[in-house]
């Protein structure tokens, strides 16, 4: 099937690390993305990783990719209340028109 | 500001009616995507246009249709509206359309069907 799966909710305390997980569908996907949606707004790209990489770090964000298990994760270090949002993973395959979003994980950061 | 504009911001209508949602992509972007976001179904891909042509179709109902015009703006037409069509409708655009690169999202149109 073409479902990109994520857990629906995650709650963490301010200052802790958050880990948001995603299982994607197609091992031929070339690019994997993380988007953030703040309340009342559209989605914004946070970061992305090429499928030939295992890890990418971008300031407080770390993306880990396990191609064998088709598992993607986003770690947010030192989570802040401003990180409260819905996080979507998405997969795309170069040379096709495929671009599939996950179900979204609602992150709540407790002060 | 992503550079993608959507109008109207809010729309309230009755069951059985027809509405048109409009999207202007970022300057230079050739692809436009339409998504529906409802509370119980997350973000659902509806349809994609690239330079005026339909390129990919997702879970779009037959009551819904879209087009992309020569100036690259796009319209999503929703007809015979039902209560369950109440949702946020997002338009996104990208430079290319081949599964790569960032999609830039508009602020969305909130449709309420009474």
């Amino acid at each position: 099937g073409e479902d990109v799966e994520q857990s629906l909710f995650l709650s963490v305390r301010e200052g802790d690390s958050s880990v948001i997980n995603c299982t994607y569908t197609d091992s031929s996907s070339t690019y994997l993305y993380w988007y953030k949606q703040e309340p009342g707004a559209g989605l914004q790209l946070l970061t992305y990783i090429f499928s030939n990489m295992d890890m990418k770090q971008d300031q407080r964000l770390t993306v880990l990719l396990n191609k064998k298990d088709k598992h993607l994760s986003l770690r947010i270090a030192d989570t802040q209340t401003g990180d409260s949002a819905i996080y979507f993973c998405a997969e795309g395959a170069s040379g096709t028109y495929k671009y599939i979003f996950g179900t979204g994980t609602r992150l709540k950061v407790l002060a | 500001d992503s550079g993608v504009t959507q109008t109207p911001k809010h729309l309230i209508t009755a069951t059985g009616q027809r509405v048109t949602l409009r999207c202007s992509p970022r300057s230079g972007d050739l692809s436009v995507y339409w998504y529906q976001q409802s509370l119980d179904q997350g973000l659902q891909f509806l349809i994609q246009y690239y330079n005026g042509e339909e390129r990919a179709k997702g879970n779009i109902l037959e009551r819904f249709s879209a087009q992309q015009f020569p100036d690259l703006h796009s319209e999503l037409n929703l007809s015979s509206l039902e209560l369950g069509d109440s949702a946020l409708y997002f338009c996104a655009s990208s430079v290319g359309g081949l599964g790569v690169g960032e999609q830039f999202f508009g602020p969305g149109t909130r449709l309420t069907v009474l």
Side-chain angles (χ1 to χ4, degrees):
Chain A
E2 288 203 335
D3 288 338
V4 178
E5 295 182 352
Q6 300 178 238
S7 51
L8 287 179
F9 299 101
L10 177 66
S11 180
V12 300
R13 295 209 172 271
E14 192 173 20
D16 287 351
S17 292
S18 310
V19 179
I20 303 170
N21 295 303
C22 168
T23 303
Y24 62 97
T25 63
D26 191 342
S27 56
S28 69
S29 289
T30 317
Y31 297 85
L32 296 140
Y33 307 88
W34 282 104
Y35 282 80
K36 177 183 180 182
Q37 183 184 27
E38 297 188 5
L43 281 68
Q44 275 191 299
L45 182 68
L46 277 179
T47 187
Y48 65 92
I49 189 169
F50 296 113
S51 59
N52 63 357
M53 298 167 67
D54 297 324
M55 185 183 90
K56 180 179 180 181
Q57 187 148 3
D58 186 358
Q59 298 183 347
R60 292 192 295 124
L61 306 178
T62 303
V63 179
L64 294 177
L65 176 59
N66 180 332
K67 279 191 72 173
K68 177 176 165 289
D69 295 336
K70 290 186 257 182
H71 184 264
L72 182 72
S73 68
L74 173 70
R75 178 178 180 269
I76 306 173
D78 187 24
T79 314
Q80 304 297 307
T81 53
D83 295 324
S84 293
I86 303 175
Y87 291 80
F88 291 88
C89 65
E91 57 174 333
S94 62
T96 78
Y97 290 93
K98 185 183 83 170
Y99 203 116
I100 301 172
F101 280 86
T103 48
T105 299
R106 186 179 294 272
L107 173 65
K108 184 171 181 178
V109 182
L110 306 170
Chain B
D1 183 358
S2 66
V4 178
T5 59
Q6 289 187 249
T7 55
K9 195 170 173 60
H10 300 278
L11 197 49
I12 301 174
T13 189
T15 54
Q17 295 298 304
R18 173 190 169 93
V19 297
T20 297
L21 312 183
R22 183 188 167 103
C23 168
S24 292
R26 282 189 333 151
S27 177
D29 284 359
L30 298 178
S31 266
V32 168
Y33 310 78
W34 284 99
Y35 295 90
Q36 180 193 58
Q37 186 177 37
S38 55
L39 281 174
D40 60 345
Q41 290 198 339
L43 193 68
Q44 297 283 321
F45 167 66
L46 296 178
I47 198 164
Q48 178 199 1
Y49 281 82
Y50 177 79
N51 203 21
E53 293 187 14
E54 182 187 305
R55 287 299 189 186
K57 220 167 188 175
N59 300 324
I60 187 166
L61 300 172
E62 284 190 13
R63 301 183 284 110
F64 296 1
S65 65
Q67 53 184 327
Q68 186 180 27
F69 295 87
D71 67 353
L72 300 176
H73 91 270
S74 178
E75 292 180 356
L76 178 68
N77 300 296
L78 315 177
S79 62
S80 303
L81 284 167
E82 301 175 0
L83 296 177
D85 298 327
S86 294
L88 260 173
Y89 290 84
F90 286 106
C91 165
S93 73
S94 66
V95 172
L98 295 178
V100 299
E102 180 177 358
Q103 289 190 15
F104 294 86
F105 280 76
T109 293
R110 182 172 291 281
L111 174 65
T112 303
V113 182
L114 302 175

